[in-house]
Amino acid sequence: MASFLSRLGRFSFRRRWLVALLWVVLLVGTGVLAGRAPTAPPNDFSMPGTEAQQAYDLLEERFPELNADGATARVVFRAEDGKVTGPEAKEAVQEAVRELGNNPQVARVTDPYATGSVSKDGSTAYAQVSYTVPSPKLEENSRTALQDTVKQARSQELTVEVGGNAVSEVAAGGHSSEAMGLAVAAVVLVITFGSLLAAGLPLLTAILGVGIGGLAIRVLAEPLGLGSTTTGLATMIGLAVGIDYALFVVSRFRAELARGRSREEAAGHAVGTAGSAVVFAGLTVVIALAGLCVVGIPILTQMGLAAAGTVVIAVLIAVTLIPALLGICGRRIALPRPPRPGRGVKDNVGLPRPSMGVSWARFVARRPVAVLLGGVALLGVIAVPAASLKMGLPGDESKPDSTTQRRAYDLVADGFGPGFNGPLTVVVQADGGGSAQAAAQSVAKQIGGRKDVAAVGQPRPSKSGDTAVLNVVPATSPPSPETADLVHALRDPALASGSDARVLVAGTTAMNVDVSKKMSDALIPYLVLVVGLAFLLLIVVFRSLLVPLKAALGFLLSVLAGLGAVVAVFQWGWLASLFGIAEPGPVMSMMPIFMVGVVFGLAMDYEVFLVTRMREAYVHGQSPTDSMISGFEHSARVVTAAAVIMISVFASFMGSDEQMLKTIGFGLAIAVLFDAFVVRMALVPAVLTLLGRSAWHLPRWLDRLVPDLDVEGERLKRKPGGPTAMDPDAPYDGGPDSVGRGPDRVIETTGSRVGPGSGH
């Protein structure tokens, strides 16, 4: 692997203009194709295999006029003084209803006075608006017309608000979030490299990779059925890993230049060693993202595959375009000139001070047990709230008080009761093609006698007569556990046992229950698949059993601690005001499995980046402890910079008003924080110190089965005619025989000079 990538890096360096031109042609070509491609289809929010989806499909077949999957809006009217049944208020409400019905995409609008949608005290009424198309297909002028009608109906005497998915749009601010993340990344890269040119390369190539990936998704949108928001996760992950991978290769290139290698040789060595780590790190991310297919939810599958494709592009850019650009940039990309003698930062005996990474690694090596126990205890305490995790899908109740959706939700809850914000749709299908009306009447009577039901509508038969539908209003709010219990009770076969019929329950609340269960059921198989495949991959990378096992256990700690923090903030409401959370409630159903997929891939990035450098030093003859310190010496600053960039990109999404984006941003940012700075920077060196040589042991029988891909670049040292550590005229190579022979080496992470007497 290292030899092949080294040759690829040398080729890209020598044919730099050709390689750069090919990438530009690829960008332009995908751009041209994307410009001619049809608009991406709306997202597929179907949930195959769930009872709610079966009910929706049956409604679509037997009651096409209901537009069961169409967008909906609820316009709520409240009289400030008097009642909405008064002449003036009633005229204003009916005028608004007529105006709402003029939109060509509106299927029907209910008159609150005809349907009885007026509160008992007469202060509040609502009109239900149903559209002919799903929310993603709703035209912008239809949304605008809805908002304009609501604004025109408002007066000093009448408060008018609107909720529903016809109002909800794709959250704005996505591009500003990306820009904020890129700004932080630029600052971190400049600090890390001390050079605007070196810092600009990772940003340029990451943007190029995301651009190609996004355009390719648009080209493939129609043939593959990729939804319109599929590029969201691809952009987020593509930016993060694209910057990280380029950062790692550029850092290694500058280090090889500092050791005295020629520019071409440095490029080949950087791609052969750091590029190997990038390839395997990318593979772990691809496995984690592509593994989302096992969940069986179309939108998750699309997002995972699109993001995985963007990661593949980032890897290819790192091992081809980066060395080409390093050649184009010339000597300006090298490290700044080392400080003159006497001007460096020295310790009390006149020797250069070690970097912070080295100092920390030495501290951990002296106190491994204390660091290990302290880190595990810290993450364990933070993970405790995860045991109370409750999942759901955020609705209008989770939006800020400043939004019209939240105000409409509160008006309905105050005027009619909390359950009216989440009515259930009960579908009764007669077995054997018989009449469903009698069965539906029997079911409605049983449901109406329950204490947890506020109201039951009259059954409505289909034209064929074998299916009927009725609305059930729970006595409790949509996200409450009691409402979920009601859904399960209505699905009990005993409810229609004497009616020879089948009962299905649909509605937003029912779908939330089904999605949460589907996610819970898929979590363990997904974990087994992703962690199992990555474990096998890491055995090949590290040629060890204990190191991959340690990596997997560390990841589980990171995810559990991240979920614990999410539950504490978003479900329990701790520090809710600080993060702008209007209403604590259940955690988004997709969050646990989403965190597992994304955080696992990124956690393995840091593991591969950090530990491959340790294994490289160990293979080249250093002791286990010295190799651990050497890994920190060369990689700690780079991994820290990569983590800060990743955290900044994710945290920038917390500024969104959408609870979903806010939860994703916080969860991923806090999990990466725990993984990078507690697991990889503290627990990993502590465990490796305690394990000693056994950490790198591979049983003989397994050693014969595992292919030797030479990830650490050992064969690059043995290349005939190449410089070796035994050659006194060769640059310092990091091998055991070169200590005390080669010149003082410059550490790429700090720019400080470390001589033979520095303890390495």
Side-chain angles (χ1 to χ4, degrees):
M1 173 66 76
S3 299
F4 168 76
L5 290 176
S6 178
R7 290 194 299 270
L8 180 61
R10 288 171 181 267
F11 172 83
S12 299
F13 186 90
R14 289 194 300 268
R15 303 288 188 269
R16 59 192 72 120
W17 291 109
L18 173 62
V19 173
L21 179 62
L22 289 175
W23 278 103
V24 171
V25 169
L26 180 61
L27 175 64
V28 174
T30 52
V32 171
L33 293 175
R36 297 178 178 178
T39 305
N43 293 293
D44 184 3
F45 288 105
S46 63
M47 300 294 169
T50 62
E51 182 174 320
Q53 188 62 51
Q54 294 175 22
Y56 280 125
D57 294 341
L58 186 60
L59 286 172
E60 187 67 22
E61 177 185 350
R62 304 297 169 85
F63 297 90
E65 70 279 4
L66 294 180
N67 296 290
D69 61 345
T72 60
R74 176 180 284 177
V75 182
V76 187
F77 307 88
R78 183 182 181 89
E80 295 301 324
D81 297 313
K83 298 182 179 182
V84 292
T85 52
E88 293 184 4
K90 187 174 183 178
E91 181 180 354
V93 170
Q94 291 181 328
E95 174 62 27
V97 170
R98 285 191 295 270
E99 190 66 27
L100 289 169
N102 291 333
N103 190 296
Q105 285 192 304
V106 170
R108 65 186 180 282
V109 183
T110 62
D111 184 336
Y113 305 105
T115 59
S117 301
V118 179
S119 62
K120 292 180 179 179
D121 61 2
S123 64
T124 310
Y126 67 84
Q128 196 73 27
V129 185
S130 300
Y131 290 83
T132 58
V133 294
S135 178
K137 288 187 177 181
L138 201 60
E139 295 177 359
E140 190 60 34
N141 56 8
S142 295
R143 298 184 192 273
T144 303
L146 174 63
Q147 295 283 11
D148 290 345
T149 302
V150 169
K151 290 179 182 178
Q152 293 172 5
R154 287 172 179 158
S155 64
Q156 292 184 344
E157 294 78 22
L158 195 65
T159 298
V160 186
E161 305 293 349
V162 59
N165 59 13
V167 186
S168 303
E169 303 176 59
V170 176
H175 294 297
S176 62
S177 297
E178 296 158 16
M180 186 182 303
L182 285 175
V184 174
V187 173
V188 173
L189 289 170
V190 170
I191 295 174
T192 302
F193 286 127
S195 164
L196 288 175
L197 183 60
L201 279 185
L203 287 175
L204 173 64
T205 54
I207 294 173
L208 175 68
V210 168
I212 293 174
L215 292 172
I217 291 171
R218 183 170 180 179
V219 171
L220 299 173
E222 186 177 45
L224 298 184
L226 302 178
S228 56
T229 60
T230 303
T231 55
L233 179 62
T235 299
M236 185 189 299
I237 301 300
L239 279 177
V241 301
I243 294 173
D244 282 4
Y245 296 165
L247 167 65
F248 200 54
V249 174
V250 173
S251 177
R252 188 60 183 263
F253 172 79
R254 300 177 89 209
E256 298 304 327
L257 285 181
R259 291 184 173 126
R261 297 185 188 275
S262 68
R263 291 168 54 239
E264 181 180 331
E265 184 183 21
H269 203 86
V271 176
T273 52
S276 295
V278 165
V279 168
F280 283 101
L283 278 176
T284 59
V285 180
V286 168
I287 289 172
L289 293 171
L292 290 171
C293 298
V294 305
V295 181
I297 295 180
I299 189 171
L300 267 185
T301 299
Q302 295 172 9
M303 292 171 66
L305 292 178
T310 308
V311 172
V312 171
I313 294 173
V315 171
L316 293 176
I317 286 177
V319 298
T320 58
L321 183 59
I322 288 294
L325 293 179
L326 292 174
I328 292 172
C329 291
R331 298 188 180 278
R332 292 168 294 176
I333 203 71
L335 279 170
R337 184 172 299 176
R340 295 178 182 177
R343 294 191 179 183
V345 179
K346 299 181 179 181
D347 59 18
N348 57 1
V349 294
L351 293 174
R353 291 181 183 174
S355 66
M356 291 182 61
V358 172
S359 299
W360 170 251
R362 290 175 178 171
F363 171 82
V364 175
R366 290 193 298 268
R367 301 171 179 82
V369 175
V371 172
L372 177 61
L373 294 179
V376 171
L378 173 64
L379 295 180
V381 170
I382 298 175
V384 168
S388 303
L389 174 67
K390 295 178 181 177
M391 295 189 293
L393 293 178
D396 288 348
E397 76 280 354
S398 64
K399 296 185 182 298
D401 295 336
S402 58
T403 62
T404 184
Q405 297 99 310
R406 174 60 187 274
R407 292 195 293 266
Y409 180 95
D410 291 341
L411 288 176
V412 171
D414 292 342
F416 298 89
F420 279 79
N421 279 303
L424 302 174
T425 302
V426 177
V427 183
V428 181
Q429 184 181 27
D431 292 337
S435 174
Q437 185 66 15
Q441 292 286 359
S442 174
V443 168
K445 184 177 181 181
Q446 294 183 63
I447 295 175
R450 296 181 60 91
K451 295 181 179 180
D452 51 2
V453 172
V456 180
Q458 288 297 319
R460 176 180 176 177
S462 63
K463 292 181 179 180
S464 61
D466 62 349
T467 308
V469 60
L470 63 144
N471 288 329
V472 176
V473 178
T476 51
S477 62
S480 68
E482 292 79 9
T483 304
D485 292 339
L486 174 61
V487 172
H488 293 304
L490 296 182
R491 289 173 170 172
D492 189 343
L495 185 67
S497 59
S499 305
D500 196 24
R502 181 172 67 136
V503 176
L504 299 174
V505 182
T508 303
T509 304
M511 182 62 81
N512 289 352
V513 171
D514 289 346
V515 171
S516 297
K517 185 177 187 305
K518 193 176 183 69
M519 291 292 182
S520 299
D521 293 343
L523 185 58
I524 299 302
Y526 177 69
L527 265 176
V528 171
L529 173 67
V530 171
V531 176
L533 289 177
F535 183 79
L536 296 177
L537 182 64
L538 293 179
I539 289 177
V540 176
V541 175
F542 299 125
R543 302 194 67 79
S544 163
L545 286 176
L546 294 180
V547 171
L549 180 61
K550 166 198 61 63
L553 293 177
F555 151 73
L556 290 176
L557 275 175
S558 302
V559 169
L560 288 175
L563 280 176
V566 168
V567 170
V569 173
F570 289 86
Q571 183 176 310
W572 292 358
W574 293 4
L575 304 177
S577 59
L578 178 64
F579 294 104
I581 300 167
E583 187 71 30
V587 175
M588 183 180 65
S589 299
M590 291 187 290
M591 195 63 201
I593 205 163
F594 192 78
M595 280 185 65
V596 167
V598 177
V599 175
F600 179 78
L602 302 180
M604 293 306 103
D605 267 8
Y606 302 136
E607 179 75 13
V608 172
F609 288 168
L610 187 62
V611 181
T612 49
R613 203 61 188 265
M614 297 178 184
R615 175 165 175 77
E616 183 178 339
Y618 179 76
V619 168
H620 294 159
Q622 293 189 23
S623 69
T625 301
D626 287 344
S627 63
M628 183 272 290
I629 295 174
S630 179
F632 267 79
E633 177 184 323
H634 295 92
S635 298
R637 186 179 178 91
V638 177
V639 171
T640 299
V644 171
I645 291 170
M646 195 94 60
I647 292 168
S648 302
V649 171
F650 292 147
S652 63
F653 285 85
M654 292 172 59
S656 171
D657 287 337
E658 289 292 330
Q659 186 88 335
M660 182 180 295
L661 281 180
K662 195 185 292 286
T663 307
I664 290 175
F666 176 83
L668 295 182
I670 199 72
V672 170
L673 175 69
F674 293 149
D675 191 87
F677 293 104
V678 180
V679 174
R680 308 304 155 190
M681 291 295 180
L683 301 188
V684 165
V687 171
L688 291 179
T689 300
L690 293 173
L691 292 177
R693 295 187 182 277
S694 60
W696 309 108
H697 174 69
L698 190 67
R700 289 184 179 179
W701 65 270
L702 188 57
D703 184 66
R704 291 192 295 269
L705 298 176
V706 175
D708 185 2
L709 300 182
D710 189 30
V711 177
E712 62 279 349
E714 174 64 15
R715 295 192 185 104
L716 297 180
K717 316 296 181 186
R718 308 174 192 160
K719 186 177 179 182
T724 66
M726 294 301 293
D727 182 359
D729 296 323
Y732 178 81
D733 192 43
D737 297 324
S738 64
V739 177
R741 293 176 179 265
D744 293 353
R745 65 189 186 277
V746 180
I747 305 308
E748 76 272 21
T749 54
T750 62
S752 61
R753 296 171 64 86
V754 182
S758 63
H760 302 288

